[in-house]
Amino acid sequence: MVAYHDDEWGLPCHDDIELFERLALESFQAGLSWSTILRKRDSFRAAFRGFDPRVVAGFDASDRERLMGDAGIVRNRAKIDATIGNATAFLETAAEFGSFDAYLAEHVPGPPPRLPPDATMGSIPATTPVSDALSADLRRRGFKFVG
């Protein structure tokens, strides 16, 4: 968790495959602890073929069954189906904007403001108008599990 926090969390990412991985893992995390997802991350990467959205978008019924049988990942059919469908939506969005990173750049104005030193978890909003608008637009584009 420390390495994830120090080396990834909150840091900008501009690589579309890495962005798809983050999107997919966040979708799988819904209702679970983030530590559960991080412990299974290598298995997720193997199961989803490196999270290349071009590959994942081509997954078929046999891939779905393979994923449902993989004890190394979260075996939730709705989340598996959402990740496969999200790969197609991701590719369509990337094609429209030139990359998924470019799409995000149009929707996220920049890093959030720094929190004051006396901030508490209770004082940090779970969503913002920007995150709500992005989530709504992703859902409009066919993405699932992107709350």
Side-chain angles (χ1 to χ4, degrees):
M1 292 296 287
V2 171
Y4 173 76
H5 176 273
D6 291 350
D7 300 332
E8 288 184 71
W9 184 79
L11 298 178
C13 171
H14 302 288
D15 178 80
D16 272 7
I17 291 177
E18 190 175 336
L19 288 169
F20 182 67
E21 176 180 338
R22 289 181 181 193
L23 178 75
L25 292 177
E26 289 283 347
S27 296
F28 273 99
Q29 185 272 327
L32 302 171
S33 72
W34 189 238
S35 62
T36 297
I37 301 304
L38 285 181
R39 276 194 314 276
K40 295 176 175 275
R41 191 178 199 180
D42 288 339
S43 295
F44 273 111
R45 284 178 174 155
F48 283 93
R49 310 295 191 248
F51 287 107
D52 183 331
R54 294 173 302 262
V55 173
V56 176
F59 280 8
D60 59 16
S62 65
D63 290 300
R64 284 178 168 81
E65 291 311 309
R66 172 182 57 81
L67 293 166
M68 284 299 295
D70 188 336
I73 68 168
V74 173
R75 294 177 288 181
N76 177 301
R77 187 169 301 278
K79 292 177 181 182
I80 289 168
D81 289 345
T83 300
I84 295 167
N86 286 351
T88 299
F90 186 97
L91 293 171
E92 291 169 354
T93 303
E96 180 181 341
F97 287 85
S99 68
F100 196 77
D101 180 52
Y103 164 77
L104 291 176
E106 286 198 18
H107 289 79
V108 180
R114 292 192 56 83
L115 295 171
D118 61 343
T120 63
M121 288 302 291
S123 69
I124 301 170
T127 67
T128 66
V130 170
S131 71
D132 292 342
L134 176 60
S135 179
D137 192 65
L138 288 169
R139 287 191 310 272
R140 183 186 65 76
R141 293 173 175 279
F143 287 84
K144 308 286 187 226
F145 281 93
V146 290

